[in-house]
Amino acid sequence: MTKREAEILKWIEENPLISQNELADKANITRSSVAVHISNLVKKGKIIGKGYILKPQKNIIIIGGANVDIAGIPKGFLKEEDSNPGNIKYSLGGVGRNIAENLARLSQNVELITVLGNDPNGENIKNNCRDLNINLHNSLILPHANTSTYLFILDENKDMKVAISAMDIFNNLTVDFIKNKMDFINKASICILDTNPPQETIEYIANNCSIPLFVDCVSTNKAIKIKSILHKIHTLKPNKIEAEFLSGIKIIDDSSLEKAGEYFIKKGIKQIFISLGKDGVYYSNGSSKGKLSTYTTKVINSTGAGDAFMAGIAYGFINEENIIDSCKFGLKASAITLTSENTINENINLDILNNFKEDTK
């Protein structure tokens, strides 16, 4: 949705009986231009039929990490056990927060439940969420605590070589804290959960969530937290190593890949997306399964591509796309993210996502 379309939609929400001439006056454009924008809003499903009948908004709850990322980027070949010339970059991150930002930039209604310190880094995250219309009303803000920090080093190919995460603050996302949020969570359309909260909290959410639960494994070490509740998960997005760990199946070829996919479906998962890096994504919902290749694009930074993929498949699901088209949305979002120096590509929006074309040069 373009800025102009969002502006017109806001005026219609405020006054559903507003005329096209009134909209033209407000926007300082012609009535015919307003008609074009309204036609586009109808095509995008934001307005249903005549009379400006607005499509009910679907809310997405995201529970998980929000932190400050500190990236080390070498100027040339990364030499281990030595000092490397390069650059240091600070940005906002956290798997849950990254997914939330991507979805907000795709014009979705997003609520992030996380925990922040009452420090400058926490203020930066709060200000950023406010600017993006990401709701933090149900998050936990702790005085005298340091907001989570993630330090990572990229190699000469822009792939993450090693990382250290200081994320103990997420232990405060306790069962008692989440218990009081479950009624609110279950009023949303979907809930996306990363594995940063404690295991008992993750299990409580899974056992009490009555809406589709999407889970991002985050890492192999944290994926162990969901082993006992796979049957409660609607959509799971592991990478190859995480899928091997959770299924106990070594993925060495297409046959073993399909076998791993079948393992998750038999466990009760409705949709499985196994990320294979540069080799694409394996998807399955039991009846539809296969592998899609990544989109060719110039890779500047691979960090954040997985979070963008989760945002893409969640966007596809909430907009009632089939699993193949949802997977394509995820792959497009990842490809757009790869072209940015930052964890989030600030240029991503619905127009860019829908009209994305891979780089064929």
Side-chain angles (χ1 to χ4, degrees), residues 241-306:
I241 296 173
E242 292 159 355
E244 289 177 335
F245 170 75
L246 289 170
S247 68
I249 298 170
K250 186 70 175 175
I251 299 173
I252 56 175
D253 53 23
D254 287 347
S255 176
S256 55
L257 176 61
E258 185 169 340
K259 186 177 179 182
E262 289 174 354
Y263 171 87
F264 292 109
I265 297 299
K266 287 179 180 178
K267 279 289 183 180
I269 290 173
K270 303 295 187 295
Q271 294 185 133
I272 181 72
F273 298 89
I274 302 176
S275 173
L276 306 170
K278 61 181 177 58
D279 293 324
V281 172
Y282 174 84
Y283 65 88
S284 176
N285 61 7
S287 58
S288 178
K289 55 188 174 183
K291 190 162 65 172
L292 291 178
S293 300
T294 56
Y295 290 92
T296 303
T297 191
K298 182 180 180 181
V299 178
I300 296 178
N301 181 6
S302 64
T303 307

Side-chain angles (χ1 to χ4, degrees), residues 282-355:
Y282 174 84
Y283 65 88
S284 176
N285 61 7
S287 58
S288 178
K289 55 188 174 183
K291 190 162 65 172
L292 291 178
S293 300
T294 56
Y295 290 92
T296 303
T297 191
K298 182 180 180 181
V299 178
I300 296 178
N301 181 6
S302 64
T303 307
D307 304 335
F309 180 85
M310 174 60 91
I313 60 175
Y315 170 81
F317 177 82
I318 204 169
N319 286 281
E320 302 176 358
E321 301 287 351
N322 61 43
I323 190 171
I324 297 174
D325 287 337
S326 292
C327 191
K328 288 179 179 178
F329 276 126
L331 287 167
K332 288 178 182 180
S334 292
I336 292 166
T337 300
L338 290 170
T339 64
S340 172
E341 291 183 354
N342 301 317
T343 305
I344 305 291
N345 189 328
E346 295 182 355
N347 294 319
I348 193 170
N349 59 44
L350 284 180
D351 285 341
I352 290 175
L353 185 71
N354 288 319
N355 298 311

Side-chain angles (χ1 to χ4, degrees), residues 58-317:
K58 296 181 179 180
N59 297 322
I60 302 173
I61 301 291
I62 300 169
I63 307 172
N67 51 260
V68 171
D69 288 343
I70 304 175
I73 307 166
K75 289 185 176 179
F77 183 82
L78 181 67
K79 187 176 181 181
E80 297 185 34
E81 300 181 11
D82 200 0
S83 176
N84 289 262
N87 298 305
I88 305 294
K89 291 196 66 174
Y90 293 81
S91 61
L92 303 184
V95 172
R97 197 215 66 86
N98 290 347
I99 296 169
E101 178 170 348
N102 277 293
L103 283 167
R105 292 185 182 280
L106 295 176
S107 302
Q108 304 304 294
N109 287 343
V110 180
E111 166 105 17
L112 175 62
I113 299 178
T114 189
V115 56
L116 302 172
N118 193 20
D119 58 357
N121 287 336
E123 282 299 314
N124 287 339
I125 292 173
K126 285 191 285 184
N127 291 337
N128 177 258
C129 286
R130 184 188 62 242
D131 293 342
L132 292 165
N133 292 319
I134 297 172
N135 199 325
L136 283 174
H137 293 331
N138 285 286
S139 287
L140 179 63
I141 311 299
L142 293 177
H144 314 301
N146 293 321
T147 298
S148 170
T149 304
Y150 179 64
L151 170 68
F152 61 96
I153 306 295
L154 303 180
D155 64 17
E156 62 280 0
N157 297 315
K158 309 302 182 184
D159 290 322
M160 193 265 285
K161 189 67 175 178
V162 68
I164 295 177
S165 56
M167 299 184 175
D168 289 347
I169 193 172
F170 297 131
N171 291 331
N172 293 282
L173 288 172
T174 63
V175 171
D176 286 341
F177 173 76
I178 287 294
K179 188 179 295 184
N180 295 323
K181 312 290 182 183
M182 284 310 304
D183 286 344
F184 171 78
I185 291 168
N186 284 327
K187 291 176 183 176
S189 298
I190 64 170
C191 176
I192 303 175
L193 174 66
D194 75 25
T195 54
N196 281 304
Q199 181 170 342
E200 57 268 25
T201 303
I202 290 172
E203 291 175 351
Y204 179 84
I205 293 168
N207 287 319
N208 291 276
C209 192
S210 60
I211 58 176
L213 180 64
F214 284 47
V215 174
D216 191 302
C217 293
V218 178
S219 68
T220 306
N221 287 337
K222 295 181 179 180
I224 193 173
K225 298 178 184 179
I226 63 169
K227 258 199 161 183
S228 66
I229 47 100
L230 290 176
H231 61 293
K232 297 286 186 177
I233 296 171
H234 180 282
T235 297
L236 182 65
K237 186 201 73 68
N239 62 26
K240 176 175 171 286
I241 296 173
E242 292 159 355
E244 289 177 335
F245 170 75
L246 289 170
S247 68
I249 298 170
K250 186 70 175 175
I251 299 173
I252 56 175
D253 53 23
D254 287 347
S255 176
S256 55
L257 176 61
E258 185 169 340
K259 186 177 179 182
E262 289 174 354
Y263 171 87
F264 292 109
I265 297 299
K266 287 179 180 178
K267 279 289 183 180
I269 290 173
K270 303 295 187 295
Q271 294 185 133
I272 181 72
F273 298 89
I274 302 176
S275 173
L276 306 170
K278 61 181 177 58
D279 293 324
V281 172
Y282 174 84
Y283 65 88
S284 176
N285 61 7
S287 58
S288 178
K289 55 188 174 183
K291 190 162 65 172
L292 291 178
S293 300
T294 56
Y295 290 92
T296 303
T297 191
K298 182 180 180 181
V299 178
I300 296 178
N301 181 6
S302 64
T303 307
D307 304 335
F309 180 85
M310 174 60 91
I313 60 175
Y315 170 81
F317 177 82

